[in-house]
Amino acid sequence: LKNLQIAGDWLYGEDDSQRLYRLHLDGTGFAKAYQLEMVQPDPPGTTVVTGLGVDNANLAGDVQFASDGQWLYMADQSFAGGIIRMEADGSQRTRILERGGRFLNSVGDWLYFQDANAYGSLARVRTDGSGYGVIHDGVVLRLIVRDNWIYFIQDYAERSLWKIKTDGTGLTQLHAGP
């Protein structure tokens, strides 16, 4: 932990991803001092939506654009941030989410992305802007969605390869990193 502060009987500090933790001054009670809005697992029998979340040719950069065939979605990298939905010609621009996003993927009615406002965690939102939630509380560097799975690289130092279902279940490490 770094950037240590004391408040009352608690010591607070952040990790490398700026997540805040606390520890009682007697050394007990180490815990997160933040809370994210996590998604709930899909009910049994939920239909799997198939498809590739972003064209492989679009993976070279931060993947600021994704399309569902009808709409184009853009991660607004300006000071305002957010995710914008628009027609391919740029008309009918609507900010559907007021959170900074990167590595956009679109499958079915959902957008999957790295949420800059949630410490770089993996998140999703419906293409109309509803249903926002964090899928995985960990720093996600790159991601690609295929069918019911999200494949991603986690952590700046570790750079391990993982997969998780789009509803936040089934987290599995595929490779431990270099």
Side-chain angles (χ1 to χ4, degrees), residues 47-117:
T47 303
V48 173
V49 178
T50 59
L52 187 62
V54 66
D55 187 306
N56 284 328
N58 194 22
L59 292 174
D62 288 345
V63 189
Q64 295 177 319
F65 295 93
S67 175
D68 64 6
Q70 177 183 359
W71 294 98
L72 180 64
Y73 302 92
M74 178 181 80
D76 181 358
Q77 301 298 314
S78 72
F79 180 73
I83 297 177
I84 295 169
R85 179 177 72 185
M86 63 185 155
E87 293 282 346
D89 66 2
S91 65
Q92 297 188 41
R93 288 175 63 109
T94 305
R95 187 175 308 277
I96 63 168
L97 188 66
E98 297 288 334
R99 304 178 71 85
R102 294 172 57 193
F103 312 121
L104 288 178
N105 277 249
S106 173
V107 176
D109 294 334
W110 292 98
L111 293 172
Y112 302 91
F113 58 98
Q114 178 208 56
D115 186 344
N117 296 92

Side-chain angles (χ1 to χ4, degrees), residues 2-172:
K2 58 186 179 181
N3 299 327
L4 298 178
Q5 298 288 323
I6 292 178
D9 293 334
W10 293 93
L11 180 65
Y12 290 86
E14 14 178 77
D15 66 8
D16 289 337
S17 65
Q18 299 179 337
R19 286 172 167 79
L20 187 63
Y21 292 86
R22 72 180 192 172
L23 175 70
H24 197 270
L25 291 177
D26 68 6
T28 62
F30 182 78
K32 293 178 184 178
Y34 67 93
Q35 185 173 341
L36 299 175
E37 186 179 341
M38 303 298 290
V39 300
Q40 297 299 312
D42 291 335
T46 301
T47 303
V48 173
V49 178
T50 59
L52 187 62
V54 66
D55 187 306
N56 284 328
N58 194 22
L59 292 174
D62 288 345
V63 189
Q64 295 177 319
F65 295 93
S67 175
D68 64 6
Q70 177 183 359
W71 294 98
L72 180 64
Y73 302 92
M74 178 181 80
D76 181 358
Q77 301 298 314
S78 72
F79 180 73
I83 297 177
I84 295 169
R85 179 177 72 185
M86 63 185 155
E87 293 282 346
D89 66 2
S91 65
Q92 297 188 41
R93 288 175 63 109
T94 305
R95 187 175 308 277
I96 63 168
L97 188 66
E98 297 288 334
R99 304 178 71 85
R102 294 172 57 193
F103 312 121
L104 288 178
N105 277 249
S106 173
V107 176
D109 294 334
W110 292 98
L111 293 172
Y112 302 91
F113 58 98
Q114 178 208 56
D115 186 344
N117 296 92
Y119 311 104
S121 296
L122 179 57
R124 73 179 185 183
V125 67
R126 288 194 182 278
T127 55
D128 67 2
S130 66
Y132 167 83
V134 172
I135 296 170
H136 176 67
D137 178 9
V139 178
V140 174
L141 301 180
R142 299 278 185 206
L143 68 104
I144 189 165
V145 181
R146 170 131 187 216
D147 302 336
N148 197 36
W149 289 96
I150 303 168
Y151 298 86
F152 63 96
I153 297 170
Q154 180 172 289
D155 197 320
Y156 291 101
E158 184 182 313
R159 294 198 181 266
S160 54
L161 181 61
W162 294 77
K163 71 177 184 176
I164 191 169
K165 288 188 177 181
T166 54
D167 69 354
T169 61
L171 180 65
T172 305

